[in-house]
Amino acid sequence: SIGIYSYELYTQYDVENIIRIGSAGSYTPRLDILDVVVADSAYSDSSFAITHNGYKDKVNYPSKTLNDAILAKASDLGINAKLCRVHSSDIFYTDTNGETFDQIAKRTGGECVEMESFALFHTANYLQKHAACLLTISDSFVSEKKLPAEDRQKSFRTMMQLALETAIALH
């Protein structure tokens, strides 16, 4: 979905910057429930990029300019945003073929998992636009902590504030 939406926003509506916000599951004790993450790269086993234009690398990168703006705004707001690689998976509920979360983390270099950043970064890079990804850790594979649905609705305010304040600062 993000591949379609971002492509159309960039090409049909002249959007220059997209900051994806969402939830992620932590693969490491460094990222706890409600921590805010800024993706510095996204690993995926997806066929999205190779099918799109022959891009074979399993890692895609956000806009340095946009990430720098986010990190500067996080500092201004006193938000401890943690920079890391994310594992961008195509499948939410998956049989991991016997691979544990820590094996997946080691193989991918990802400290958390989500589903959109790789395709977003690829599309932005292909079109020479800017994209970033902000996440809030909603559950942990390490501690097995999970946010209940109601808390997810109310607890992502810090991430949203950071995204909106960054967007305002860019204009």
Side-chain angles (χ1 to χ4, degrees), residues 37-108:
V37 171
V38 180
D40 67 8
S41 58
Y43 175 99
S44 182
D45 291 315
S46 166
S47 63
F48 178 85
I50 197 165
T51 301
H52 178 245
N53 69 342
Y55 182 84
K56 295 178 183 173
D57 198 336
K58 290 185 176 282
V59 178
N60 253 305
Y61 298 90
S63 161
K64 181 176 176 359
T65 302
L66 197 47
N67 264 15
D68 287 348
I70 290 167
L71 292 171
K73 186 52 69 177
S75 179
D76 291 348
L77 297 171
I79 297 170
N80 181 21
K82 298 180 178 182
L83 201 59
C84 73
R85 172 173 289 172
V86 302
H87 171 212
S88 191
S89 178
D90 280 352
I91 301 169
F92 190 75
Y93 297 107
T94 181
D95 176 353
T96 61
N97 295 320
E99 207 174 19
T100 64
F101 79 84
D102 50 339
Q103 290 170 325
I104 294 169
K106 185 175 183 178
R107 179 176 58 77
T108 66

Side-chain angles (χ1 to χ4, degrees), residues 59-166:
V59 178
N60 253 305
Y61 298 90
S63 161
K64 181 176 176 359
T65 302
L66 197 47
N67 264 15
D68 287 348
I70 290 167
L71 292 171
K73 186 52 69 177
S75 179
D76 291 348
L77 297 171
I79 297 170
N80 181 21
K82 298 180 178 182
L83 201 59
C84 73
R85 172 173 289 172
V86 302
H87 171 212
S88 191
S89 178
D90 280 352
I91 301 169
F92 190 75
Y93 297 107
T94 181
D95 176 353
T96 61
N97 295 320
E99 207 174 19
T100 64
F101 79 84
D102 50 339
Q103 290 170 325
I104 294 169
K106 185 175 183 178
R107 179 176 58 77
T108 66
E111 291 187 66
C112 62
V113 60
E114 56 81 62
M115 299 182 74
E116 308 289 347
S117 59
F118 181 86
L120 174 61
F121 297 165
H122 175 77
T123 303
N125 291 330
Y126 175 73
L127 296 172
Q128 298 180 348
K129 302 288 186 166
H130 299 279
C133 180
L134 278 173
L135 303 163
T136 296
I137 301 299
S138 60
D139 53 285
S140 171
F141 290 92
V142 178
S143 70
E144 298 184 11
K145 289 192 252 179
K146 295 180 183 193
L147 284 178
E150 186 175 334
D151 288 348
R152 286 177 188 238
Q153 293 172 0
K154 298 176 181 177
S155 301
F156 291 180
R157 183 179 182 147
T158 302
M159 171 187 60
M160 289 185 239
Q161 178 188 11
L162 179 54
L164 292 170
E165 293 283 346
T166 300

Side-chain angles (χ1 to χ4, degrees), residues 9-20:
L9 287 168
Y10 288 136
T11 63
Q12 307 301 311
Y13 296 94
D14 298 320
V15 168
E16 291 294 321
N17 301 300
I18 295 176
I19 301 172
R20 177 239 189 300

